[in-house]
Amino acid sequence: IKMWFSKKSSSFASRVDKFWCELGKNLDVIKRNLEDKNYETASKMTEEALNLCLVDPTFMIGLVNDKIDLVLTPEGMKYRLFWLKFIKSRMPKEYETKLTCTLGKPRAPREVATIQMYGVSVDANEVMVYANFEEKSVDMCLYNKTLSKLKSEDENKAYTLAFILCDNVVGETAMINTLGDFEIVDEPREKGVALTDFADLIDDKFGKEASSEPLKQFSFYELEPRSDALRDDVFMGYTSLTSLLNEYYDGKSDIYNEAYELGINFCFLVLYHGGDVQFGVDSKNKIEDELETSTFCEGMGAATGTKHSYVDLICFDKDELEKAVSKFSKELDIKIEICEFKR
């Protein structure tokens, strides 16, 4: 029987530290197994350690330039990148000579850019991309004869194959961070670039960080206040995780629940400004600045309402957050509450 972590009293942060401690003890043995091609043993040892902080962890482990490379994969979900990034940030400095921790499946070398699935073979060198770069994202139209034939037979299979190929060639994290619209087109167009060269364009446009960590790209939104109730009074805000906000307003909580089972809280601070909007905004800004360097939570956005201001967070240690909030409340002389990101 699996014990979900939320029932345990320990914080996600402390369990991440336990994971690193456990993995650290076995790094030399894991490396020997990888050198001897005992991949299953190496993988099993890594998984046992990862189970201390994650449920059904998805990862890859191998050797790159004589160092262990541990790849933590978010399975295409941006919100998971935030807690994988936290795990990476807690890696003890002294492991750096033996281990690299990578977020998301990295790009495959150019010479292995072919994928075989569903009885067809598609070479990324023969896939043309017609890209439309926006400020924070890129819309991709793909053309390839085999893909377009597969699409006419089974659209789902064609898109699954195309996504996997793009993850392999562009890198999983880069795709999560930058992909806007995605379409397989039936005719070649003008001004295309081979998918294998497209990865370089992503680097040029969005920087190397786009391939290595979750990008904090904020979307701004405006709402009509509905009442003075919590979050119903919001008239403007910004978020780096639109999916979480949409779920909250739709009364869903899939993302919230998945995090909660790991002992991670998607939550928001409510600042009761009582109608003094400017005071609310100033207080909110001070708190956001203070939490910028936090080791126990990360800012996901903020909002301003007619009666309250809000700071949206992903929190890895609730006790630490509670201490910080009572300190903010005293210093700023404002009532602050921590609310969960679910209706």
Side-chain angles (χ1 to χ4, degrees):
I1 297 170
K2 276 231 172 77
M3 264 294 284
W4 293 121
F5 297 125
S6 53
K7 312 286 186 289
K8 297 181 183 175
S9 54
S10 60
S11 68
F12 182 71
S14 67
R15 286 198 323 279
V16 167
D17 294 343
K18 277 194 194 114
F19 150 69
W20 281 120
C21 177
E22 194 58 33
L23 190 75
K25 289 181 205 160
N26 295 318
L27 283 178
D28 295 335
V29 185
I30 289 172
K31 186 175 181 194
R32 267 203 308 279
N33 275 296
L34 289 170
E35 285 166 345
D36 298 341
K37 307 221 177 335
N38 297 330
Y39 298 119
E40 206 161 310
T41 311
S43 183
K44 204 169 167 11
M45 291 179 82
T46 309
E47 183 168 21
E48 279 171 8
L50 272 169
N51 278 334
L52 291 167
C53 62
L54 293 172
V55 174
D56 297 332
T58 47
F59 67 96
M60 301 187 296
I61 191 148
L63 283 178
V64 176
N65 304 331
D66 205 37
K67 268 166 75 168
I68 297 171
D69 186 34
L70 171 62
V71 179
L72 301 173
T73 58
E75 300 289 284
M77 295 302 175
K78 181 166 187 174
Y79 62 87
R80 288 185 195 137
L81 265 182
F82 285 101
W83 61 71
L84 297 181
K85 175 187 166 189
F86 177 77
I87 293 175
K88 180 180 174 172
S89 76
R90 301 288 272 215
M91 181 174 118
K93 278 271 180 278
E94 63 268 24
Y95 293 3
E96 285 173 6
T97 52
K98 298 179 176 184
L99 173 79
T100 313
C101 181
T102 308
L103 301 184
K105 290 191 281 282
R107 291 172 188 167
R110 283 184 178 228
E111 55 276 15
V112 275
T114 302
I115 190 168
Q116 283 161 330
M117 261 175 98
Y118 305 130
V120 301
S121 174
V122 179
D123 179 349
N125 291 294
E126 293 166 8
V127 175
M128 293 307 287
V129 180
Y130 311 100
N132 176 29
F133 282 92
E134 303 283 348
E135 190 193 344
K136 295 175 181 172
S137 64
V138 58
D139 298 332
M140 288 171 75
C141 288
L142 266 54
Y143 173 73
N144 168 276
K145 212 161 77 189
T146 312
L147 265 183
S148 113
K149 184 171 179 297
L150 182 62
K151 182 181 150 191
S152 67
E153 294 157 13
D154 187 327
E155 196 167 5
N156 281 346
K157 284 183 178 173
Y159 276 97
T160 303
L161 191 153
F163 274 122
I164 292 173
L165 187 62
C166 288
D167 274 354
N168 287 351
V169 176
V170 181
E172 184 183 23
T173 301
M175 286 290 285
I176 290 173
N177 277 326
T178 62
L179 183 63
D181 293 336
F182 188 82
E183 191 188 348
I184 297 169
V185 293
D186 299 325
E187 296 289 331
R189 299 178 181 178
E190 307 236 306
K191 293 199 175 73
V193 51
L195 182 56
T196 37
D197 297 324
F198 181 69
D200 298 337
L201 294 183
I202 293 265
D203 287 349
D204 294 345
K205 171 79 171 116
F206 299 105
K208 284 266 189 262
E209 300 75 56
S211 305
S212 59
E213 58 181 77
L215 284 190
K216 280 283 210 49
Q217 294 167 323
F218 290 106
S219 310
F220 289 84
Y221 58 91
E222 289 183 0
L223 297 169
E224 276 297 320
R226 290 188 297 214
S227 75
D228 288 346
L230 285 191
R231 248 27 257 182
D232 275 356
D233 66 332
V234 170
F235 57 87
M236 60 179 281
Y238 48 91
T239 180
S240 61
L241 210 49
T242 319
S243 51
L244 178 73
L245 208 60
N246 288 342
E247 280 198 357
Y248 177 81
Y249 280 117
D250 291 343
K252 297 196 186 95
S253 53
D254 297 350
I255 297 175
Y256 172 86
N257 291 339
E258 188 185 328
Y260 186 76
E261 281 172 357
L262 300 175
I264 298 168
N265 288 90
F266 278 114
C267 57
F268 55 86
L269 307 184
V270 182
L271 286 63
Y272 287 80
H273 63 62
D276 186 345
V277 175
Q278 193 54 53
F279 175 55
V281 169
D282 293 344
S283 305
K284 166 185 83 64
N285 292 347
K286 280 181 189 146
I287 291 176
E288 282 188 288
D289 291 347
E290 283 270 331
L291 291 176
E292 194 60 42
T293 53
S294 157
T295 53
F296 55 83
C297 71
E298 187 169 357
M300 294 272 122
T304 301
T306 51
K307 296 287 182 206
H308 320 88
S309 286
Y310 306 89
V311 178
D312 303 343
L313 303 168
I314 179 170
C315 172
F316 306 107
D317 190 332
K318 200 78 182 282
D319 293 347
E320 288 298 318
L321 180 61
E322 281 166 2
K323 281 182 216 159
V325 163
S326 84
K327 179 173 100 62
F328 294 148
S329 186
K330 283 194 190 78
E331 285 174 4
L332 301 167
D333 195 23
I334 189 169
K335 180 185 166 192
I336 306 175
E337 247 181 320
I338 304 174
C339 289
E340 299 300 303
F341 235 115
K342 66 169 190 175
R343 291 281 199 191

